[in-house]
Short mmCIF file of all heavy atoms in Angstrom, two decimals:
data_model
loop_
_atom_site.label_atom_id
_atom_site.label_comp_id
_atom_site.label_asym_id
_atom_site.label_seq_id
_atom_site.Cartn_x
_atom_site.Cartn_y
_atom_site.Cartn_z
N GLY F 10 5.07 -4.61 -8.19
CA GLY F 10 5.17 -4.48 -6.73
C GLY F 10 4.36 -5.51 -5.98
O GLY F 10 3.95 -5.29 -4.85
N GLY F 11 4.17 -6.67 -6.62
CA GLY F 11 3.31 -7.70 -6.04
C GLY F 11 3.94 -8.49 -4.90
O GLY F 11 3.29 -9.35 -4.33
N ALA F 12 5.21 -8.19 -4.56
CA ALA F 12 5.80 -8.85 -3.39
C ALA F 12 5.71 -7.97 -2.15
O ALA F 12 6.19 -8.35 -1.08
CB ALA F 12 7.25 -9.23 -3.67
N GLY F 13 5.11 -6.80 -2.30
CA GLY F 13 4.92 -5.91 -1.15
C GLY F 13 3.64 -6.26 -0.40
O GLY F 13 2.97 -7.26 -0.69
N PHE F 14 3.29 -5.41 0.53
CA PHE F 14 2.15 -5.68 1.43
C PHE F 14 0.83 -5.79 0.66
O PHE F 14 0.19 -6.86 0.64
CB PHE F 14 2.12 -4.55 2.47
CG PHE F 14 0.84 -4.39 3.23
CD1 PHE F 14 0.21 -5.49 3.83
CD2 PHE F 14 0.28 -3.13 3.40
CE1 PHE F 14 -0.96 -5.33 4.56
CE2 PHE F 14 -0.89 -2.97 4.12
CZ PHE F 14 -1.52 -4.06 4.69
N ILE F 15 0.42 -4.74 -0.01
CA ILE F 15 -0.91 -4.76 -0.63
C ILE F 15 -0.89 -5.61 -1.91
O ILE F 15 -1.82 -6.39 -2.16
CB ILE F 15 -1.41 -3.32 -0.94
CG1 ILE F 15 -1.40 -2.48 0.34
CG2 ILE F 15 -2.83 -3.37 -1.52
CD1 ILE F 15 -1.74 -1.01 0.15
N GLY F 16 0.19 -5.50 -2.69
CA GLY F 16 0.28 -6.26 -3.94
C GLY F 16 0.20 -7.76 -3.69
O GLY F 16 -0.48 -8.49 -4.42
N ILE F 35 5.90 -8.36 -11.45
CA ILE F 35 7.28 -7.86 -11.49
C ILE F 35 7.55 -7.08 -10.22
O ILE F 35 6.78 -6.18 -9.84
CB ILE F 35 7.58 -6.99 -12.73
CG1 ILE F 35 9.01 -6.45 -12.66
CG2 ILE F 35 6.60 -5.85 -12.91
CD1 ILE F 35 9.48 -5.72 -13.91
N ASP F 36 8.62 -7.46 -9.54
CA ASP F 36 8.98 -6.77 -8.30
C ASP F 36 10.50 -6.71 -8.19
O ASP F 36 11.20 -7.68 -8.46
CB ASP F 36 8.38 -7.51 -7.09
CG ASP F 36 8.36 -6.64 -5.85
OD1 ASP F 36 9.46 -6.26 -5.36
OD2 ASP F 36 7.26 -6.33 -5.36
N LYS F 37 10.97 -5.55 -7.74
CA LYS F 37 12.42 -5.34 -7.60
C LYS F 37 12.97 -6.01 -6.35
O LYS F 37 14.18 -6.12 -6.18
CB LYS F 37 12.66 -3.82 -7.54
CG LYS F 37 14.09 -3.37 -7.58
CD LYS F 37 14.14 -1.84 -7.53
CE LYS F 37 15.56 -1.34 -7.37
NZ LYS F 37 15.59 0.13 -7.26
N LEU F 38 12.07 -6.43 -5.46
CA LEU F 38 12.46 -6.99 -4.16
C LEU F 38 13.38 -6.02 -3.42
O LEU F 38 14.53 -6.33 -3.10
CB LEU F 38 13.10 -8.38 -4.30
CG LEU F 38 12.18 -9.45 -4.90
CD1 LEU F 38 12.91 -10.79 -4.99
CD2 LEU F 38 10.90 -9.62 -4.08
N THR F 39 12.87 -4.83 -3.20
CA THR F 39 13.56 -3.88 -2.31
C THR F 39 13.42 -4.41 -0.90
O THR F 39 12.86 -5.50 -0.68
CB THR F 39 12.88 -2.49 -2.38
OG1 THR F 39 11.57 -2.60 -1.79
CG2 THR F 39 12.77 -1.98 -3.81
N TYR F 40 13.84 -3.64 0.08
CA TYR F 40 13.69 -4.07 1.48
C TYR F 40 12.24 -4.46 1.79
O TYR F 40 11.98 -5.29 2.66
CB TYR F 40 14.14 -2.93 2.43
CG TYR F 40 13.10 -1.83 2.53
CD1 TYR F 40 12.13 -1.84 3.54
CD2 TYR F 40 13.03 -0.82 1.57
CE1 TYR F 40 11.15 -0.88 3.60
CE2 TYR F 40 12.04 0.15 1.62
CZ TYR F 40 11.10 0.11 2.65
OH TYR F 40 10.11 1.06 2.69
N ALA F 41 11.28 -3.86 1.05
CA ALA F 41 9.85 -4.08 1.38
C ALA F 41 9.25 -5.28 0.65
O ALA F 41 8.14 -5.69 0.97
CB ALA F 41 9.05 -2.82 1.03
N GLY F 42 9.98 -5.82 -0.33
CA GLY F 42 9.44 -6.93 -1.11
C GLY F 42 9.82 -8.26 -0.48
O GLY F 42 10.96 -8.43 -0.04
N ASN F 43 8.90 -9.19 -0.44
CA ASN F 43 9.16 -10.46 0.24
C ASN F 43 8.37 -11.57 -0.45
O ASN F 43 7.14 -11.60 -0.39
CB ASN F 43 8.71 -10.31 1.70
CG ASN F 43 9.09 -11.50 2.55
OD1 ASN F 43 9.43 -12.56 2.03
ND2 ASN F 43 9.03 -11.33 3.86
N GLY F 61 12.48 -7.82 -11.21
CA GLY F 61 12.88 -6.72 -12.09
C GLY F 61 12.36 -5.38 -11.61
O GLY F 61 11.58 -5.30 -10.67
N ASP F 62 12.80 -4.36 -12.34
CA ASP F 62 12.56 -2.97 -11.94
C ASP F 62 11.62 -2.31 -12.94
O ASP F 62 11.83 -2.42 -14.16
CB ASP F 62 13.94 -2.27 -11.93
CG ASP F 62 13.90 -0.91 -11.28
OD1 ASP F 62 12.90 -0.18 -11.45
OD2 ASP F 62 14.89 -0.58 -10.60
N ILE F 63 10.61 -1.61 -12.44
CA ILE F 63 9.65 -0.98 -13.38
C ILE F 63 10.26 0.18 -14.16
O ILE F 63 9.67 0.65 -15.11
CB ILE F 63 8.35 -0.52 -12.68
CG1 ILE F 63 8.64 0.50 -11.56
CG2 ILE F 63 7.54 -1.70 -12.16
CD1 ILE F 63 7.40 1.27 -11.12
N THR F 64 11.44 0.64 -13.75
CA THR F 64 12.08 1.70 -14.54
C THR F 64 12.82 1.13 -15.75
O THR F 64 13.31 1.88 -16.59
CB THR F 64 13.09 2.51 -13.69
OG1 THR F 64 14.13 1.63 -13.26
CG2 THR F 64 12.43 3.15 -12.49
N ASN F 83 -0.61 -1.17 -11.14
CA ASN F 83 0.69 -0.68 -10.68
C ASN F 83 0.70 -0.38 -9.18
O ASN F 83 0.33 0.71 -8.75
CB ASN F 83 1.06 0.58 -11.47
CG ASN F 83 2.43 1.12 -11.07
OD1 ASN F 83 3.29 0.37 -10.59
ND2 ASN F 83 2.63 2.42 -11.26
N PHE F 84 1.20 -1.37 -8.43
CA PHE F 84 1.36 -1.19 -6.98
C PHE F 84 2.79 -0.72 -6.65
O PHE F 84 3.01 -0.18 -5.56
CB PHE F 84 1.19 -2.53 -6.24
CG PHE F 84 -0.20 -3.09 -6.22
CD1 PHE F 84 -0.60 -4.01 -7.20
CD2 PHE F 84 -1.09 -2.76 -5.22
CE1 PHE F 84 -1.87 -4.56 -7.17
CE2 PHE F 84 -2.37 -3.31 -5.18
CZ PHE F 84 -2.77 -4.22 -6.16
N ALA F 85 3.75 -1.00 -7.53
CA ALA F 85 5.16 -0.81 -7.18
C ALA F 85 5.43 0.62 -6.76
O ALA F 85 5.07 1.57 -7.45
CB ALA F 85 6.05 -1.17 -8.37
N ALA F 86 6.05 0.77 -5.61
CA ALA F 86 6.36 2.11 -5.12
C ALA F 86 7.29 2.02 -3.93
O ALA F 86 7.37 0.99 -3.25
CB ALA F 86 5.08 2.84 -4.69
N GLU F 87 7.99 3.09 -3.69
CA GLU F 87 8.54 3.35 -2.37
C GLU F 87 7.38 3.93 -1.59
O GLU F 87 6.74 4.89 -2.04
CB GLU F 87 9.70 4.35 -2.46
CG GLU F 87 10.95 3.77 -3.10
CD GLU F 87 11.59 2.68 -2.24
OE1 GLU F 87 11.44 2.72 -1.00
OE2 GLU F 87 12.23 1.78 -2.81
N SER F 88 7.09 3.38 -0.41
CA SER F 88 5.79 3.68 0.20
C SER F 88 5.84 4.29 1.60
O SER F 88 4.79 4.57 2.17
CB SER F 88 4.96 2.39 0.25
OG SER F 88 5.52 1.48 1.19
N THR F 103 11.34 5.52 -8.63
CA THR F 103 10.35 4.45 -8.80
C THR F 103 8.94 5.02 -9.02
O THR F 103 8.25 4.66 -9.98
CB THR F 103 10.35 3.52 -7.58
OG1 THR F 103 11.54 2.72 -7.63
CG2 THR F 103 9.15 2.58 -7.58
N ILE F 126 -2.40 2.50 -8.64
CA ILE F 126 -2.75 2.42 -7.21
C ILE F 126 -2.14 3.63 -6.51
O ILE F 126 -0.93 3.71 -6.28
CB ILE F 126 -2.23 1.11 -6.58
CG1 ILE F 126 -2.73 -0.12 -7.36
CG2 ILE F 126 -2.66 1.03 -5.10
CD1 ILE F 126 -4.23 -0.31 -7.40
N SER F 127 -3.00 4.58 -6.18
CA SER F 127 -2.52 5.79 -5.54
C SER F 127 -2.96 5.83 -4.07
O SER F 127 -3.30 4.78 -3.50
CB SER F 127 -3.02 7.00 -6.32
OG SER F 127 -2.47 8.18 -5.80
N THR F 128 -2.94 6.99 -3.50
CA THR F 128 -3.16 7.11 -2.05
C THR F 128 -3.93 8.39 -1.73
O THR F 128 -3.82 9.38 -2.46
CB THR F 128 -1.80 7.14 -1.33
OG1 THR F 128 -1.99 7.65 0.00
CG2 THR F 128 -0.79 8.05 -2.02
N ASP F 129 -4.65 8.36 -0.62
CA ASP F 129 -5.35 9.58 -0.19
C ASP F 129 -4.37 10.68 0.20
O ASP F 129 -4.76 11.85 0.29
CB ASP F 129 -6.30 9.27 0.98
CG ASP F 129 -5.60 8.75 2.24
OD1 ASP F 129 -4.39 8.47 2.19
OD2 ASP F 129 -6.28 8.64 3.28
N TYR F 153 7.04 11.57 -0.31
CA TYR F 153 6.28 10.38 -0.76
C TYR F 153 5.01 10.80 -1.48
O TYR F 153 4.76 10.39 -2.63
CB TYR F 153 5.94 9.49 0.45
CG TYR F 153 4.83 8.50 0.17
CD1 TYR F 153 5.00 7.47 -0.76
CD2 TYR F 153 3.59 8.60 0.82
CE1 TYR F 153 3.97 6.57 -1.03
CE2 TYR F 153 2.56 7.70 0.56
CZ TYR F 153 2.76 6.69 -0.37
OH TYR F 153 1.74 5.80 -0.65
N LYS F 157 3.74 10.41 -5.46
CA LYS F 157 2.52 9.70 -5.87
C LYS F 157 1.59 10.63 -6.66
O LYS F 157 0.96 10.22 -7.64
CB LYS F 157 1.79 9.14 -4.63
CG LYS F 157 2.51 8.03 -3.90
CD LYS F 157 2.68 6.75 -4.71
CE LYS F 157 1.39 6.03 -4.96
NZ LYS F 157 1.62 4.72 -5.64
N CYS F 180 -6.61 5.20 -1.90
CA CYS F 180 -7.09 4.52 -0.69
C CYS F 180 -6.45 5.13 0.55
O CYS F 180 -5.39 5.74 0.49
CB CYS F 180 -6.75 3.03 -0.79
SG CYS F 180 -7.50 2.04 0.51
N SER F 181 -7.11 4.90 1.66
CA SER F 181 -6.61 5.37 2.96
C SER F 181 -5.63 4.34 3.54
O SER F 181 -5.26 3.38 2.87
CB SER F 181 -7.79 5.59 3.90
OG SER F 181 -8.48 4.37 4.06
N ASN F 182 -5.25 4.51 4.80
CA ASN F 182 -4.24 3.65 5.43
C ASN F 182 -4.72 2.21 5.56
O ASN F 182 -5.76 1.94 6.18
CB ASN F 182 -3.90 4.17 6.83
CG ASN F 182 -3.04 5.41 6.77
OD1 ASN F 182 -3.46 6.44 6.25
ND2 ASN F 182 -1.84 5.34 7.32
N ASN F 183 -3.92 1.27 5.04
CA ASN F 183 -4.23 -0.17 5.11
C ASN F 183 -3.55 -0.80 6.31
O ASN F 183 -2.50 -0.36 6.75
CB ASN F 183 -3.68 -0.87 3.88
CG ASN F 183 -4.44 -0.61 2.60
OD1 ASN F 183 -4.73 -1.52 1.84
ND2 ASN F 183 -4.77 0.64 2.31
N GLN F 188 2.21 -6.71 6.34
CA GLN F 188 2.62 -5.30 6.26
C GLN F 188 4.00 -5.15 6.89
O GLN F 188 4.26 -5.63 8.00
CB GLN F 188 1.62 -4.38 6.96
CG GLN F 188 1.97 -2.90 6.74
CD GLN F 188 0.87 -1.94 7.13
OE1 GLN F 188 0.12 -2.21 8.07
NE2 GLN F 188 0.75 -0.82 6.43
N PHE F 189 4.88 -4.48 6.20
CA PHE F 189 6.26 -4.35 6.64
C PHE F 189 6.31 -3.58 7.97
O PHE F 189 5.68 -2.54 8.12
CB PHE F 189 7.07 -3.62 5.57
CG PHE F 189 8.55 -3.70 5.80
CD1 PHE F 189 9.27 -4.80 5.38
CD2 PHE F 189 9.21 -2.69 6.48
CE1 PHE F 189 10.63 -4.89 5.61
CE2 PHE F 189 10.57 -2.78 6.72
CZ PHE F 189 11.29 -3.88 6.28
N LYS F 192 5.57 0.45 9.39
CA LYS F 192 4.33 1.21 9.41
C LYS F 192 3.72 1.09 10.80
O LYS F 192 4.00 0.15 11.55
CB LYS F 192 3.36 0.69 8.35
CG LYS F 192 3.94 0.68 6.92
CD LYS F 192 3.93 2.05 6.28
CE LYS F 192 4.80 2.15 5.03
NZ LYS F 192 4.43 1.32 3.92
N HIS F 225 -9.57 -3.34 0.64
CA HIS F 225 -8.92 -2.56 -0.44
C HIS F 225 -8.80 -3.43 -1.70
O HIS F 225 -9.10 -2.99 -2.80
CB HIS F 225 -7.55 -2.08 0.05
CG HIS F 225 -6.83 -1.18 -0.91
ND1 HIS F 225 -5.52 -0.81 -0.73
CD2 HIS F 225 -7.21 -0.57 -2.07
CE1 HIS F 225 -5.15 -0.01 -1.72
NE2 HIS F 225 -6.15 0.13 -2.55
P1 LIG A 29 5.19 -1.86 0.05
O1 LIG A 29 6.30 -0.89 0.33
O2 LIG A 29 4.84 -2.88 1.06
O3 LIG A 29 5.48 -2.64 -1.32
C1 LIG A 29 6.02 -2.02 -2.44
C2 LIG A 29 6.55 -3.11 -3.37
O4 LIG A 29 7.06 -2.46 -4.56
C3 LIG A 29 7.71 -3.92 -2.78
O5 LIG A 29 7.50 -5.30 -2.99
C4 LIG A 29 8.93 -3.43 -3.55
O6 LIG A 29 9.94 -4.43 -3.70
C5 LIG A 29 8.30 -3.06 -4.88
N1 LIG A 29 9.10 -2.08 -5.63
C6 LIG A 29 9.65 -0.93 -5.16
N2 LIG A 29 10.32 -0.30 -6.13
C7 LIG A 29 10.19 -1.06 -7.26
C8 LIG A 29 10.65 -0.94 -8.59
N3 LIG A 29 11.40 0.10 -8.98
N4 LIG A 29 10.30 -1.90 -9.48
C9 LIG A 29 9.57 -2.97 -9.09
N5 LIG A 29 9.13 -3.14 -7.85
C10 LIG A 29 9.42 -2.21 -6.93
O7 LIG A 29 3.94 -0.93 -0.30
P2 LIG A 29 2.38 -1.21 -0.06
O8 LIG A 29 2.02 -0.71 1.29
O9 LIG A 29 2.06 -2.59 -0.47
O10 LIG A 29 1.77 -0.19 -1.12
C11 LIG A 29 1.48 -0.61 -2.45
C12 LIG A 29 0.91 0.57 -3.23
O11 LIG A 29 -0.27 1.04 -2.57
C13 LIG A 29 1.85 1.76 -3.30
O12 LIG A 29 1.76 2.30 -4.60
C14 LIG A 29 1.32 2.72 -2.26
O13 LIG A 29 1.60 4.05 -2.62
C15 LIG A 29 -0.16 2.43 -2.31
N6 LIG A 29 -0.92 2.68 -1.06
C16 LIG A 29 -0.50 2.14 0.13
C17 LIG A 29 -1.26 2.36 1.27
C18 LIG A 29 -0.87 1.75 2.60
O14 LIG A 29 -1.51 2.04 3.62
N7 LIG A 29 0.14 0.91 2.67
C19 LIG A 29 -2.43 3.12 1.21
C20 LIG A 29 -2.84 3.64 -0.03
C21 LIG A 29 -2.08 3.40 -1.15
#
Side-chain angles (χ1 to χ4, degrees):
F14 163 49
I15 304 174
I35 177 173
D36 197 296
K37 188 179 172 182
L38 298 180
T39 68
Y40 76 93
N43 187 345
D62 191 322
I63 59 164
T64 63
N83 182 25
F84 291 93
E87 289 293 331
S88 69
T103 287
I126 306 298
S127 185
T128 163
D129 62 352
Y153 162 66
K157 292 295 291 185
C180 189
S181 60
N182 286 62
N183 287 225
Q188 186 167 33
F189 193 84
K192 304 281 166 63
H225 185 189

